[in-house]
Amino acid sequence: MKKTTLTVPAGSARVEAFVAEARVSGRVTAELRIVEAGEVKVAENGDGDEAELASVPWNPLSFASARAAVIEAETALDGSIDELVVFADPPRDAVGIAESTPKAIERAALEWAAGYAELVREACRRFDEKGGGALVLVVVTSERGPLGAMAAGALLGLAEGMMAVGTGSVRFAAIRDESDQPDLLARQIVKTLGEPARDQGRILRFGGRSGFFGR
């Protein structure tokens, strides 16, 4: 039986590379498309060679949207999601903290910390209900301003906390991507998903050479 895989965010180079590699491995995929509040929330299906790929809307600023997005993705993937692959690349702006507005600080915290944590929580909950699943969280390493760095730190902290307390029936892997090579990263993620379950225990650093991980 083919694995069904949900990934986010639609349109990024890393997601496009992963979707192509996932299809080679026989997976059926869907993407989460990040939207703002008030945008039309309709799943879109591709045409021709892209017919298997569904694009499901998700608003990270809404907890209710995470649940709705997972349910829509399950429907698009014939009723079940086996894997979730999240690529997180917070903003790389260089605005100083003194120049940041209270609204920008609140948005960074809600979108990148709370929003992504809620998506991960919802996916883990659904995986537990079906008896298992796999989740890969990739955090891109880059030079960032204070708010972007805060967001990346929150995501890495989320991963460390999940590994510290365990994830039950969910296979979890966290990767710090330092490669800026989407194709190599995609192949490594598919390889990781296909390997036997094991206790990772730490965030892995992907440094750009195929199969190269470090602490």
Side-chain angles (χ1 to χ4, degrees):
M1 182 179 295
K2 288 186 176 181
K3 293 284 188 181
T4 56
T5 308
L6 178 63
T7 187
V8 62
S12 78
R14 288 175 176 82
V15 164
E16 291 177 356
F18 171 73
V19 167
E21 193 67 28
R23 285 181 167 175
V24 170
S25 72
R27 287 170 166 79
V28 180
T29 59
E31 298 176 334
L32 290 186
R33 182 179 76 257
I34 295 177
V35 300
E36 298 286 342
E39 289 188 38
V40 177
K41 297 181 180 297
V42 178
E44 299 176 353
N45 291 313
D47 299 315
D49 291 340
E50 302 296 319
E52 290 184 355
L53 181 62
S55 177
V56 176
W58 170 52
N59 177 8
L61 297 175
S62 166
F63 280 6
S65 181
R67 178 174 174 78
V70 171
I71 291 172
E72 277 195 61
E74 287 176 333
T75 300
L77 293 171
D78 294 327
S80 179
I81 297 171
D82 299 314
E83 302 163 341
L84 171 64
V85 180
V86 177
F87 295 89
D89 187 5
R92 306 184 187 194
D93 61 85
V95 177
I97 192 64
E99 292 75 42
S100 300
T101 65
K103 184 176 181 180
I105 294 171
E106 179 183 37
R107 183 183 178 98
L110 291 176
E111 178 173 357
W112 292 98
Y116 276 74
E118 178 60 17
L119 176 64
V120 168
R121 186 194 75 86
E122 186 62 37
C124 286
R125 190 179 70 80
R126 303 291 282 189
F127 287 153
D128 278 339
E129 288 176 354
K130 63 174 284 187
L135 195 158
V136 178
L137 173 60
V138 180
V139 181
V140 178
T141 296
S142 178
E143 293 292 329
R144 296 185 172 91
L147 298 189
M150 178 184 73
L155 292 160
L156 291 169
L158 172 65
E160 289 172 351
M162 290 174 64
M163 288 184 288
V165 302
T167 52
S169 62
V170 180
R171 293 179 54 201
F172 177 64
I175 299 171
R176 186 196 299 259
D177 177 27
E178 300 176 354
S179 70
D180 199 26
Q181 298 185 57
D183 292 338
L184 286 180
L185 177 64
R187 287 196 286 273
Q188 187 59 56
I189 292 171
V190 169
K191 179 181 176 182
T192 298
L193 288 170
E195 291 174 345
R198 64 176 185 272
D199 182 15
Q200 179 179 300
R202 60 187 173 87
I203 297 173
L204 300 173
R205 240 181 346 108
F206 185 69
R209 295 198 298 272
S210 183
F212 176 73
F213 278 117
R215 292 181 180 273

